[in-house]
């Protein structure tokens, strides 16, 4: 009887262990954002093992100054709250695992996302299917990519963009602005736009750095310079300013930092306080919560963009699996972390071809952990947790 109800045998095993550790991933160049300059990206990797010896892997990343979690708090939350909530439970329901974690501790979306992705990887591997099958089924096999020009200086940004365009890796670029004077940012945008010409698309992310009058003054000039999307120009808590900016200029206004929960998404949809969401599995708290945000965006007619916090191939593959199931990610993806890193804890990294991220086709996330590489990247105090 059990076999008839569960032909793929998902619920014949229970979670025996939930372990995690922090990996430090050096970057090829310093990555300059409004709130931080990153030279080494630190992420949390989660490993879940069943009582019959199968395992699944998940990853979550944070950026200093972006959200409320750090890799240290994430690891602590996984060990002391999320692992006890899942150990001993059946591997049978992704939503059930998400609900148990929500009962165990509120918020902490990045920690929850890493664990839920490891559960999804494990469930999909047991079924012999890609994670996309659990997330609603694949709609597309590739997602157009965007590269963040984070050198912070026009000449270096131009050289980087030209090289990536010639390699047919990226033709859409985002400049991080807001750290210095808006006049300087505008001059840099104009310079980059002039040098790169018509074959590329340019966007900016202000990461909340401007007040409303500054946004009102500079967004039209950015649009005139060819910018198509302005991401989070004002503070996250200023929904009214976002509403007043939306629809006013010939470029899209994208919300990022303020849209974490489905309730946040609903607030933005009701107020029509943006044209688009930057959607991130970690920010929303894992695939179950992210699906709710995506549904609200679809109902509101908002465009969507698959954002990143600089994951390795492990996290990028999971994001690709999820976003392959979303009917339209019309603004593409920003899942370029592996190309900016000098190391990757997987056997074969995710692939980028013809300006797109290729969605992996193998079981689970579609990438395989390289244990030796992972061990070399993991903080010493955590190494025993994973291997
Ligand atoms: Mg952003």
């Amino acid at each position: 009887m059990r076999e008839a109800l569960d032909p793929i045998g998902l619920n014949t095993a229970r979670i025996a262990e939930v372990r995690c550790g922090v990996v430090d991933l050096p970057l090829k160049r310093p990555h300059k954002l409004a709130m931080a300059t990153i030279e080494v990206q630190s992420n949390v990797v989660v490993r879940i093992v069943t009582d019959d010896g199968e395992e699944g892997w998940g990853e979550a990343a944070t950026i200093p100054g972006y959200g409320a979690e750090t890799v240290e708090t994430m690891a602590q939350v996984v060990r002391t709250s999320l692992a006890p909530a899942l150990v001993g439970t059946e591997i049978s329901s992704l939503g059930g695992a998400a609900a148990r974690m929500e009962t165990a501790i509120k918020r902490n979306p990045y920690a929850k996302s890493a664990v839920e992705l490891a559960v999804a990887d494990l469930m999909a591997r047991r079924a012999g299917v890609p994670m996309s099958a659990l997330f609603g089924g694949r709609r597309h096999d590739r997602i157009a990519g965007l590269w963040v020009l984070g050198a912070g200086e026009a000449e270096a940004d131009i050289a980087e963009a030209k090289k990536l365009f010639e390699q047919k890796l990226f033709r859409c670029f985002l400049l991080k602005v807001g750290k210095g004077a808006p006049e300087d940012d505008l001059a840099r945008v104009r310079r980059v736009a002039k040098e790169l010409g018509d074959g590329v698309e340019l966007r900016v992310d202000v990461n909340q750095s401007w007040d409303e009058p500054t946004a009102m003054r500079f967004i039209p000039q950015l649009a005139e310079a060819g910018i198509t999307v302005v991401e989070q120009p004002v503070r996250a808590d200023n929904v009214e300013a976002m509403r007043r900016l939306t629809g006013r200029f010939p470029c899209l206004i994208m919300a990022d930092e303020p849209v974490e929960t489905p309730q946040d998404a609903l607030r933005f949809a009701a107020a029509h306080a943006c044209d688009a969401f930057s959607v991130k599995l970690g920010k929303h708290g894992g695939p179950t919560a992210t699906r709710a945000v995506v549904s609200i965006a679809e109902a509101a007619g908002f465009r969507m963009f698959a954002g990143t916090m600089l994951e390795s191939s492990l996290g990028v593959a999971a994001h690709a699996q999820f976003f392959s199931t979303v009917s339209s990610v019309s603004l593409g993806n920003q899942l370029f972390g592996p190309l900016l890193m000098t190391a990757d804890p997987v056997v074969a990294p995710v692939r980028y071809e013809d300006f797109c991220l290729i969605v992996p086709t193998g079981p689970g996330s579609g990438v395989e952990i390289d244990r030796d590489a992972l061990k070399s990247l993991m903080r010493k105090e955590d190494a025993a947790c994973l291997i």
Side-chain angles (χ1 to χ4, degrees):
M1 184 64 187
R2 181 163 191 144
E3 208 168 278
L5 287 172
D6 180 31
I8 51 179
L10 288 177
N11 62 6
T12 55
R14 290 177 183 273
I15 294 176
E17 294 178 4
V18 179
R19 297 188 173 202
C20 73
V22 176
V23 290
D24 292 316
L25 304 154
L27 303 188
K28 292 174 182 170
R29 60 149 168 79
H31 197 53
K32 292 185 181 174
L33 314 176
M35 58 287 189
T37 296
I38 305 167
E39 295 187 30
V40 176
Q41 174 66 30
S42 298
N43 295 347
V44 167
V45 172
V46 171
R47 175 181 177 237
I48 292 184
V49 185
T50 57
D51 55 7
D52 60 1
E54 291 201 49
E55 62 182 19
W57 298 85
E59 181 187 26
T62 62
I63 288 174
Y66 177 90
E69 292 170 77
T70 67
V71 283
E72 291 81 10
T73 68
M74 288 157 62
Q76 180 75 0
V77 166
V78 171
R79 287 174 186 138
T80 59
S81 296
L82 305 182
L86 294 183
V87 169
T89 64
E90 285 187 340
I91 286 282
S92 58
S93 160
L94 201 55
R100 282 190 194 94
M101 291 194 282
E102 191 59 25
T103 301
I105 188 169
K106 296 293 174 267
R107 302 188 71 84
N108 293 283
Y110 293 88
K112 287 173 182 169
S113 181
V115 175
E116 194 182 341
L117 288 176
V119 174
D121 184 45
L122 181 48
M123 288 177 68
R125 283 176 194 276
R126 289 179 74 83
V129 297
M131 282 157 77
S132 55
L134 297 182
F135 297 154
R138 192 169 295 204
R139 305 279 193 98
H140 30 251
D141 296 320
R142 52 184 59 216
I143 309 167
L146 170 152
W147 179 267
V148 173
L149 296 170
E153 191 268 315
E155 294 308 316
D157 285 341
I158 291 163
E160 190 171 270
K162 282 185 172 174
K163 189 175 170 195
L164 291 165
F165 183 75
E166 282 163 14
Q167 293 171 323
K168 295 186 94 176
L169 289 173
F170 297 93
R171 59 184 162 203
C172 181
F173 299 98
L174 181 141
L175 289 115
K176 287 285 188 178
V177 300
K179 190 174 184 181
E183 292 83 359
D184 294 343
D185 283 333
L186 180 61
R188 181 161 59 101
V189 166
R190 284 177 172 152
R191 173 110 179 78
V192 172
K194 185 167 172 248
E195 280 295 321
L196 295 184
D198 291 338
V200 304
E201 180 184 347
L202 286 180
R203 306 177 187 173
V204 296
D205 187 355
V206 193
N207 283 115
Q208 316 183 56
S209 296
W210 291 343
D211 58 18
E212 187 175 353
T214 304
M216 284 287 181
R217 184 175 159 211
F218 281 93
I219 291 175
Q221 298 182 75
L222 289 168
E224 173 114 21
I227 293 296
T228 56
V229 179
V230 175
E231 190 173 335
Q232 202 54 50
V234 296
R235 277 176 49 152
D237 54 9
N238 201 343
V239 180
E240 277 300 301
M242 288 289 282
R243 184 183 63 76
R244 287 189 286 267
L245 292 166
T246 299
R248 196 180 175 106
F249 310 109
C251 58
L252 300 178
I253 302 295
M254 181 187 287
D256 182 6
E257 287 91 329
V259 181
E260 294 180 348
T261 65
Q263 291 76 17
D264 296 329
L266 194 56
R267 195 175 313 123
F268 269 72
H272 204 105
C274 63
D275 300 298
F277 285 161
S278 176
V279 180
K280 302 170 178 174
L281 292 177
K283 181 176 68 164
H284 306 307
T288 298
T290 304
R291 176 60 63 187
V293 170
V294 165
S295 296
I296 291 166
E298 287 173 338
F302 288 170
R303 304 221 194 160
M304 273 179 278
F305 173 61
T308 187
M309 303 299 289
L310 283 185
E311 295 80 7
S312 73
S313 281
L314 177 60
V316 167
H319 277 76
Q321 295 287 345
F322 180 86
F323 285 105
S324 76
T325 72
V326 177
S327 61
S328 175
V329 192
S330 64
L331 295 177
N333 83 83
Q334 193 182 244
L335 299 160
F336 60 88
L339 294 174
L340 190 61
M341 293 166 180
T342 62
D344 208 347
V346 297
V347 174
V350 289
R351 292 187 299 125
Y352 302 81
E353 286 174 12
D354 287 330
F355 307 107
C356 289
L357 168 66
I358 309 301
V359 183
T361 53
S365 68
V367 295
E368 302 301 321
I369 286 290
D370 180 334
R371 287 172 184 275
D372 291 336
L374 182 64
K375 200 170 181 179
S376 71
L377 296 165
M378 186 142 295
R379 292 185 183 173
K380 284 190 175 53
E381 63 270 26
D382 291 343
C385 296
L386 286 170
I387 309 298

